[in-house]
Amino acid sequence: MGFGKRRIKKVCWFEMNKVEPDYKDVKIIGRFVTERGKIVPRRLSGVTAKNQRLLALAVKQARHLGLLPFVAENIK
């Protein structure tokens, strides 16, 4: 008795769609950034380690170029 909940295996979105994270695809990258502007961790997003590293790089490049904000505008 007292068994834990069964976890559903998360599948990498990038592997499923055969796409690599790219800084120009702001719509796709925006899915993996919180409303506060933080990059979503791997354990929550289900992205593979390789794609998480590429995603983090892409988010940072997009922020540097002004395509993504560094933080949300309405933070007090």
Side-chain angles (χ1 to χ4, degrees):
M1 315 256 172
F3 294 107
K5 294 181 181 178
R6 294 207 95 177
R7 283 194 181 177
I8 298 172
K9 180 113 169 88
K10 293 182 181 176
V11 182
C12 178
W13 187 90
F14 296 105
E15 297 287 326
M16 203 168 60
N17 294 311
K18 295 180 175 53
V19 178
E20 281 197 5
D22 188 23
Y23 70 94
K24 293 173 275 189
D25 294 332
V26 178
K27 200 175 218 181
I28 294 171
I29 289 176
R31 298 178 60 189
F32 298 97
V33 177
T34 64
E35 62 274 352
R36 292 278 209 161
K38 295 182 176 183
I39 301 170
V40 177
R42 241 185 98 207
R43 67 180 184 274
L44 296 180
S45 63
V47 178
T48 61
K50 176 186 173 187
N51 284 331
Q52 181 71 19
R53 287 191 299 270
L54 292 173
L55 176 68
L57 255 174
V59 168
K60 291 171 186 177
Q61 286 176 331
R63 284 176 178 163
H64 187 73
L65 292 172
L67 302 175
L68 279 178
F70 280 92
V71 292
E73 293 176 14
N74 55 3
I75 297 176
K76 290 184 177 181

